[in-house]
Amino acid sequence: RRDTVRAVALYDRMEQETDSVLAPDILLYHSFILKRTGDWNRAITIWHSLSSHSTREAYWACLELAKYFEHQLSDWHSARAFTHRAIHICPYGEEHRRRLSIRLDRIAGKIHI
């Protein structure tokens, strides 16, 4: 986990040597490592591919996309859309939904500034 260069190389090798698409949980962990190394383009590509499903991994991908659009691009409309999607598919309890509601309120405030 701490050796990001080695981890990225391992994930890249898995992608190249596998005939099928990697499992969603593996793709999600790969995206987190890419984010940590600053490879936003590859991480975003993975998040977009995961976000179209209704899985646990899609929830986390939507949350990451919401954070990316809010904090990196100041694209509050996209951030709001991915936050709404995360709320819609949230497989966790009320605490996660509460945090997402707080995020929506913050984004709404930025849109109306």
Side-chain angles (χ1 to χ4, degrees), residues 3-74:
D3 188 351
T4 55
V5 172
R6 202 164 142 212
V8 167
L10 175 64
Y11 281 116
D12 288 345
R13 197 170 105 218
M14 286 171 50
E15 282 182 331
Q16 292 169 358
E17 294 179 3
T18 305
D19 290 336
S20 60
V21 176
L22 295 176
D25 59 334
I26 293 172
L27 289 171
L28 185 66
Y29 288 122
H30 188 190
S31 73
F32 290 150
I33 290 171
L34 292 169
K35 175 184 171 184
R36 195 174 312 135
T37 63
D39 193 344
W40 288 101
N41 290 334
R42 289 178 64 199
I44 290 164
T45 299
I46 293 171
W47 293 332
H48 274 293
S49 70
L50 292 172
S51 70
S52 62
H53 303 284
S54 295
T55 61
R56 177 180 61 89
E57 293 83 11
Y59 166 77
W60 290 108
C62 288
L63 182 58
E64 289 298 323
L65 285 166
K67 291 191 290 188
Y68 173 76
F69 282 111
E70 180 183 1
H71 300 297
Q72 299 296 320
L73 298 182
S74 299

Side-chain angles (χ1 to χ4, degrees), residues 62-98:
C62 288
L63 182 58
E64 289 298 323
L65 285 166
K67 291 191 290 188
Y68 173 76
F69 282 111
E70 180 183 1
H71 300 297
Q72 299 296 320
L73 298 182
S74 299
D75 178 348
W76 300 303
H77 294 284
S78 294
R80 180 176 59 183
F82 280 108
T83 303
H84 276 292
R85 173 93 177 115
I87 289 171
H88 179 71
I89 63 173
C90 182
Y92 302 106
E94 193 56 39
E95 180 60 23
H96 281 260
R97 287 185 190 88
R98 185 185 69 75

